[in-house]
Amino acid sequence: MNILIVHNYYQIPGGEDTVVANEKKLLENNGHKVSLYSRDNSELNKLSFFRKLALPVTTVFNPRTYMDIRDIIWNQNIEIVHVHNTLNLVSPSVYYAALSRDVPVVQTIHNFRMLCPGATFYRDGHICEDCVEKGLRCAVRHKCYRDSRIQTLACVISMKLHRMTGVYRKLNYICLTEFNKEKLLKLRQIEENRVYVKPNFAFDMEEWKPCRKVDRERIGQYVFVGRVEKLKGIDILLRAWKQVEGIYGDGSPGLMICGKGPMEEWCKNYIKENGLKTVEMRGFIPNREIGKILAESRALILPTQLYEGFPMTILEAYGVGTPVICSEIGNAGSIVTEGITGLKFRYDSSEDLANKVRMFENRPFMVDREIGKQYSALENYLQLMEIYQSVADDGHRHKYLGSVHK
């Protein structure tokens, strides 16, 4: 197949960029011709004054994107347009360009932006779905996008306009979890038969398999991997660990915190003030090293306060057989199976987290090797091809599963 991947990079790199790179590599490894159309929001810093004034308009519909996509489809004989992110410079004009050439569009849903201008269903320290229940005006009132009423208004206008044109019902969607799908279908113009569920995958999982250790080779350690901030529940984790040390005393397991963020100093002060002896702040750890740390740890702890997108650290833990003690909300909670791949706790309760660590200490287990296979590159490729086949026009359907390379 000839596939066009479309992605708008944010100014700060994130997990979506990794997914785009992984899927492009996966498709090319299996013999497909892949074109990438991308824009980068760092371009915004170089725009002239007048072009910046036009941003509210081009965020809604960018004529440059429309013409570029039409030309690429024609010149490269594109059969599928796979979109990841459109904010700000690509804009939803990519949808209209592809449909004008009668090429099907697949949109991967990495976050909740089609329902929430802030994309997270989170504001003012709590989960918020007001835009779904009460309307998008709530987002403008609370300045949900970048704490700016003007920028939020631009997002809301774009969302309302494209809902009115009906373009969303003509697209096909890949949700990363069933939880994602359930939320997306709250946008009633989207038909359920156009929504597919396919998780992310990680090439590194294959490389980390040799790191996997049996239970008796693991050390008495738990690990947190992520940005050190309140949204990721770092304060919940440390308050829970104070209780863990209170339970086990000198025999307490260790806690390793891998990552950087705005609450680093708060964490160091909390550790010092409360005399926590088993917590180690490691700062930034290269991804290659994370696999080894996960492989020798009893469990990954993910105390997120958000619905999240699809935390890649969960896949990385599964890849080396490490279970996950996770908040019971959102996508992260839906990926973890209680007692099979981990344990779940009430997301805002340090007491419940401490109890789940104690429960795990009393009865530790590992993730079965077979679990990781559903997140392998091979399995993901097969799922992606099934989706592409099902959205292709009847007259252009082919069998693409002939030769599969790991």
Side-chain angles (χ1 to χ4, degrees), residues 115-294:
L115 296 156
C116 164
T120 60
F121 280 141
Y122 187 93
R123 68 168 178 85
D124 300 333
H126 61 84
I127 298 295
C128 171
E129 295 190 25
D130 284 356
C131 284
V132 175
E133 297 167 1
K134 302 175 184 178
L136 293 172
R137 65 185 180 278
C138 297
V140 180
R141 183 166 69 249
H142 296 295
K143 300 184 289 187
C144 291
Y145 179 65
R146 306 187 79 174
D147 199 31
S148 166
R149 190 164 281 119
I150 292 176
Q151 293 187 65
T152 304
L153 179 61
C155 289
V156 168
I157 291 172
S158 178
M159 293 166 73
K160 281 184 171 291
L161 176 63
H162 298 301
R163 288 179 185 183
M164 289 171 59
T165 66
V167 71
Y168 293 145
R169 67 168 50 94
K170 299 176 183 178
L171 310 181
N172 306 280
Y173 301 90
I174 293 177
C175 291
L176 305 177
T177 67
E178 290 291 343
F179 180 85
N180 255 117
K181 179 179 178 179
E182 176 189 330
K183 294 299 179 187
L184 181 65
L185 288 174
K186 290 189 175 184
L187 188 55
R188 295 182 180 178
Q189 63 184 259
I190 294 178
E191 299 173 6
E192 187 171 3
N193 63 353
R194 287 182 173 269
V195 183
Y196 305 85
V197 177
K198 180 189 75 67
N200 288 336
F201 73 98
F203 281 110
D204 286 344
M205 286 179 66
E206 305 297 322
E207 300 173 14
W208 288 352
K209 280 182 180 178
C211 299
R212 185 184 178 109
K213 298 181 183 295
V214 297
D215 185 57
R216 65 177 179 274
E217 295 175 340
R218 296 185 177 230
I219 59 180
Q221 166 186 290
Y222 294 76
V223 61
F224 168 92
V225 180
R227 188 165 168 78
V228 181
E229 62 178 343
K230 194 173 185 67
L231 293 178
K232 299 299 183 181
I234 192 66
D235 55 330
I236 300 288
L237 174 57
L238 285 181
R239 291 189 175 102
W241 214 257
K242 180 181 177 181
Q243 298 174 55
V244 170
E245 285 202 4
I247 295 169
Y248 292 102
D250 293 340
S252 295
L255 172 63
M256 182 182 292
I257 297 176
C258 301
K260 299 184 71 64
M263 286 187 67
E264 284 181 79
E265 284 304 312
W266 182 92
C267 291
K268 291 174 183 176
N269 290 335
Y270 187 91
I271 291 167
K272 182 178 180 180
E273 291 169 3
N274 291 277
L276 300 183
K277 300 176 181 178
T278 60
V279 182
E280 181 182 2
M281 299 282 294
R282 291 289 300 273
F284 172 77
I285 302 292
N287 205 50
R288 296 283 180 185
E289 296 301 314
I290 291 296
K292 297 176 183 177
I293 293 172
L294 287 170

